[in-house]
Amino acid sequence: MQTRCVFCGIVQGLKPALRVYEDDRVLAFLDIHPSTPGHTLIIPKVHEARLEDLPEEDAAALFRALHRLVGRIRAAVDAPASTVGINNGPESGQEVPHVHIHVIPRSSQDRGGIVQGI
């Protein structure tokens, strides 16, 4: 089976990823080009490009996983804070057309800023 979506390929086990969490609806793995150590992507296993097209059950599962993981991700890299973001559509910076949440551990040393500082 072949897929054009890289995230669907990861879900199907056709593409490599360092998986950190998985259940029947959601998969979380480390970003291949992390902004900071521990940068994690949380995705629904069902393919939808935009958040508003995601079935409610999958959206709920996605945010349950976020709730479970965000503190654990910070703790794993000893970060005092995190940035959580969703780019929803190519004009927002979404590079892979599959819904995904970025969890980016943050510290005062990473020289980052607020998301709204565009």
Side-chain angles (χ1 to χ4, degrees):
M1 182 188 305
Q2 197 170 13
T3 181
R4 290 182 182 206
C5 173
V6 66
F7 289 173
C8 288
I10 291 170
V11 169
Q12 296 167 11
L14 303 173
K15 302 266 186 206
L18 185 53
R19 296 167 181 243
V20 297
Y21 174 84
E22 185 169 7
D23 64 27
D24 60 329
R25 292 185 181 264
V26 175
L27 176 63
F29 52 93
L30 294 180
D31 192 302
I32 195 168
H33 300 292
S35 297
T36 64
H39 182 169
T40 301
L41 301 177
I42 306 173
I43 68 168
K45 289 184 174 180
V46 63
H47 178 85
E48 288 294 348
R50 292 183 177 265
L51 187 61
E52 61 270 26
D53 296 329
L54 195 61
E56 274 189 44
E57 300 81 18
D58 293 296
L62 186 66
F63 280 86
R64 274 194 304 273
L66 172 64
H67 186 262
R68 282 186 196 124
L69 294 173
V70 69
R72 293 176 184 175
I73 293 166
R74 281 188 309 98
V77 295
D78 197 28
S82 61
T83 295
V84 176
I86 300 172
N87 298 317
N88 197 40
E91 295 81 6
S92 71
Q94 183 183 21
E95 294 177 346
V96 177
H98 186 121
V99 173
H100 55 287
I101 301 174
H102 292 264
V103 179
I104 304 170
R106 303 299 300 271
S107 70
S108 59
Q109 289 81 28
D110 68 29
R111 301 179 59 180
I114 62 171
V115 173
Q116 297 86 343
I118 301 173

